[in-house]
Amino acid sequence: MKSVMIASVALAALVAGAASAKTLVYCSEGSPENFTPAVNTTGTSFDAARPVYNRLTEFKRGTTEVVPGLAESWDIADGGRTITFHLRKGVKFHSLKDFKPTRAFDADDVIWSIERQWKPDHPYAKVSGGKYDYFNDMDMPALLDSVTKTDDHTVVMKLKEPNVAILANLAMDFMAIGSKEYADFLLKKGTPEQFDQAPVGTGPFAFVAYQKDSVIRYKANKDYYGEKALVDDLVFAITPDATARYAKLKAGECHINGYPRPADLAEMQKDPTLKVLQSPGLNIAYWAFNTAKPPFDKKDVREALSMAIDRDAIIKDVYLGAGEKATTLIPPTMWSFDAKIPDVPYDPEKAKALLAAAGVKTPLEIDLWYQPVARPYNPNGKRIGEMMQADLAKIGVDARLQTYEWGEYRKRLENGESMTGQMGWTGDNGDPDNFFFLLGCPGGKAAENNIPKWCNAEFNDLLVKARTVADQAERAKLYQRMQQIEHDEAPELLLAHSIVSEAIRANVEGYKQSPLGTHMFEGVDIK
């Protein structure tokens, strides 16, 4: 409690000290792993890095529309295999206390940022753990043939095969462009890890300081080429507890709360000093069965446990109605959604029969990992876990609840340590591929973010083929077949698609909810 009070006093002093300037405070839900999206996998970390960086392509704020970023234009040739990016000129990198850039952004920065994730001999390949999950899970190593420059402001990307989602993929956080000059400076200094802890980018805000588990500070980039910051300073007030975030919002200590508790929404909507923003989420919550661990290698067992869960009760009790049962990975608002896929029924008696048919004797002991943080797709992992535990007990399954700190939780799930675990996803780019790749098996091996560790040859072949088909109607047919395969094989129980809510102070202007679940603060003002 004492440390929380000290952090609150420090934040209040910081905001008060900036009274002459205009400071926007975002109550964030957790601490970032670091500030380089290439080595991160969590929305919390992406949010913390996003004010600092740009990408070749961008998503127009509040939409999934791909627009020019650091590349002001591009040409596509060779049947989609060659993309020539024409880079903006005169774009300035941020400065830090110990680093002042001597040149503007150019092609070397693009090539450096891509090759860090791609080339094992890159000088930064092993810095900060050397894991580039997004780059690998998006199958970029298999897709890229070469990335070269023809001059300082022209980059040519050659692909081994066409990929219709490539421009949207390049707009994702993991493709953020960093400063090669800054990286070289730190390498010479002997502190390359600083690159990921004190970021230098070209974005609307420049990094100032980070106090772990407390505050991240940014300042407006007055030289920004795009939609400019309308405030002088941006502060992330790191506040993991949802009740504490609401208290800060009511007190005016923060202006935006990205993850309010569903139980608080009705009260928030009655408060004239607040505004509640809501939109259908481009998301999915699911309960994954580790198919590499018996008895979950048997489809009957996976189906049995799926039928044991009363999802209607979960949506009523936890989502408070602000969600709907999921039948496929993608939500009904996304093109290629197949409305003909049947729902998984709640049927405890059939679940018992399926377990018996699979030769499983009860009581069966399993672990059930639950998410330790609220996410847009899962408001309360522990409560959902408790409800699932009670449902499973009715069919003779003893589920031991287990969790870890969020970063550790994800790492252990990705390593295949759980028997079953809650997870979810908010789409990164508005393309169905960005959901179905969650069950990808590049090279016949489950990708790290394939939490069920389930590989189906037909599913994976369709996943790869869909990336090369330009006609959307034809792609939709492939994705609909994939939805059927997933339903039939039941590698996970698809829980819900949620309505996403955010709460802001009434005097905040210009803030836009993103269907991608991102939080962006350029163009946002305080009256």
Side-chain angles (χ1 to χ4, degrees):
M1 178 62 73
K2 184 177 180 181
S3 62
V4 172
M5 290 178 64
I6 291 172
S8 296
V9 170
L11 175 63
L14 182 150
V15 175
S20 58
K22 193 177 287 188
T23 301
L24 180 70
V25 183
Y26 169 59
C27 268
S28 66
E29 80 289 359
S31 299
E33 299 162 275
N34 55 56
F35 292 87
T36 295
V39 294
N40 293 330
T41 55
T42 66
T44 301
S45 297
F46 289 156
D47 272 345
R50 195 171 296 113
V52 177
Y53 288 109
N54 292 111
R55 290 141 294 278
L56 288 173
T57 59
E58 305 274 0
F59 295 114
K60 184 178 180 181
R61 193 164 62 91
T63 77
T64 58
E65 179 188 349
V66 176
V67 297
L70 289 172
E72 60 184 1
S73 65
W74 49 84
D75 305 314
I76 300 176
D78 189 24
R81 290 180 177 83
T82 300
I83 309 172
T84 301
F85 293 98
H86 305 286
L87 308 182
R88 294 182 189 274
K89 298 177 181 178
V91 176
K92 296 181 179 180
F93 278 105
H94 307 148
S95 296
L96 295 176
K97 288 181 180 178
D98 63 344
F99 173 74
K100 308 294 180 188
T102 63
R103 64 166 178 82
F105 155 78
D106 66 21
D108 289 337
D109 303 304
V110 175
I111 294 170
W112 186 94
S113 299
I114 294 173
E115 290 192 343
R116 175 182 179 179
Q117 305 179 69
W118 183 22
K119 303 290 187 180
D121 60 349
H122 190 281
Y124 272 70
K126 293 182 172 59
V127 173
S128 299
K131 290 187 69 178
Y132 306 99
D133 291 341
Y134 256 89
F135 189 82
N136 292 315
D137 291 344
M138 299 298 289
D139 224 10
M140 293 294 283
L143 176 64
L144 291 176
D145 187 27
S146 64
V147 181
T148 58
K149 69 174 186 177
T150 54
D151 58 48
D152 283 348
H153 298 98
T154 310
V155 170
V156 179
M157 178 180 288
K158 290 186 178 292
L159 310 179
K160 293 177 182 176
E161 60 185 18
N163 185 309
V164 294
I166 186 65
L167 292 175
N169 291 346
L170 293 175
M172 290 166 56
D173 289 289
F174 79 99
M175 291 304 294
I177 305 300
S179 165
K180 180 181 183 299
E181 183 185 16
Y182 179 47
D184 291 344
F185 165 78
L186 294 176
L187 201 61
K188 186 176 180 180
K189 186 180 173 184
T191 58
E193 294 80 8
Q194 183 182 328
F195 186 92
D196 303 322
Q197 302 299 333
V200 169
T202 58
F205 292 91
F207 175 82
V208 175
Y210 170 42
Q211 182 180 344
K212 185 173 172 57
D213 298 332
S214 179
V215 175
I216 312 172
R217 295 182 58 205
Y218 312 83
K219 63 181 178 182
N221 175 10
K222 303 301 183 184
D223 296 319
Y224 187 51
Y225 68 84
E227 185 179 26
K228 297 199 183 300
L230 301 180
V231 296
D232 301 288
D233 299 287
L234 172 65
V235 172
F236 277 35
I238 299 170
T239 314
D241 182 73
T243 301
R245 289 198 300 273
Y246 183 20
K248 288 182 178 182
L249 189 71
K250 284 199 295 186
E253 292 179 26
C254 67
H255 301 99
I256 299 170
N257 173 9
Y259 302 101
R261 289 194 318 149
D264 293 330
L265 292 174
E267 183 180 334
M268 288 177 171
Q269 288 166 332
K270 295 175 184 176
D271 188 334
T273 69
L274 305 179
K275 288 190 287 191
V276 174
L277 310 177
Q278 292 184 309
S279 63
L282 201 66
N283 61 37
I284 179 69
Y286 59 88
W287 180 36
F289 307 116
N290 188 338
T291 61
K293 291 188 175 184
F296 299 105
D297 53 340
K298 297 181 179 180
K299 183 176 75 168
D300 282 351
V301 174
R302 302 193 296 265
E303 289 183 334
L305 269 62
S306 296
M307 290 182 181
I309 304 302
D310 186 352
R311 291 177 297 151
D312 286 321
I314 289 173
I315 288 171
K316 180 181 178 182
D317 185 82
V318 181
Y319 291 83
L320 300 181
E324 61 179 319
K325 284 189 295 183
T327 57
T328 83
L329 270 176
I330 59 174
T333 53
M334 180 171 276
W335 66 268
S336 80
F337 172 78
D338 189 349
K340 298 189 296 296
I341 300 296
D343 190 19
V344 175
Y346 170 52
D347 193 337
E349 293 307 313
K350 188 172 182 181
K352 291 178 185 177
L354 283 171
L355 283 180
V360 173
K361 295 182 179 179
T362 55
L364 170 67
E365 292 190 354
I366 68 169
D367 60 41
L368 196 169
W369 292 23
Y370 66 88
Q371 287 188 252
V373 295
R375 306 306 298 162
Y377 50 76
N378 185 337
N380 190 332
K382 184 178 182 182
R383 177 59 184 150
I384 291 176
E386 291 168 345
M387 295 181 72
M388 294 169 71
Q389 182 184 50
D391 285 341
L392 292 167
K394 296 172 186 175
I395 66 165
V397 176
D398 178 15
R400 301 181 302 275
L401 296 183
Q402 186 171 332
T403 197
Y404 297 90
E405 179 273 328
W406 181 224
E408 187 71 12
Y409 179 88
R410 282 191 59 107
K411 186 191 305 179
R412 288 173 176 265
L413 272 184
E414 290 171 352
N415 288 340
E417 295 181 26
S418 69
M419 293 177 73
T420 76
Q422 296 174 10
M423 188 45 75
W425 186 254
T426 295
D428 289 304
N429 62 21
D431 192 280
D433 174 77
N434 190 243
F435 280 78
F436 293 115
F437 94 109
L438 294 170
L439 294 173
C441 292
K445 181 182 177 182
E448 284 198 351
N449 63 344
N450 182 339
I451 305 302
K453 307 307 173 190
W454 171 78
C455 285
N456 178 283
E458 183 186 359
F459 184 98
N460 201 68
D461 287 347
L462 292 168
L463 176 67
V464 173
K465 182 179 179 181
R467 292 169 177 163
T468 69
V469 176
D471 183 78
Q472 190 175 100
E474 288 301 311
R475 287 185 80 202
K477 291 178 184 177
L478 302 180
Y479 290 132
Q480 286 164 359
R481 172 59 186 152
M482 291 162 70
Q483 289 167 68
Q484 187 65 56
I485 294 170
E486 185 201 12
H487 170 79
D488 293 345
E489 292 295 317
E492 62 217 343
L493 172 61
L494 301 167
L495 294 172
H497 307 292
S498 74
I499 302 296
V500 177
S501 301
E502 296 182 59
I504 65 176
R505 297 286 302 174
N507 64 336
V508 173
E509 293 184 333
Y511 182 75
K512 296 180 180 180
Q513 267 194 302
S514 168
L516 304 173
T518 60
H519 301 95
M520 300 172 69
F521 306 102
E522 59 267 35
V524 180
D525 203 359
I526 307 167
K527 284 194 294 189

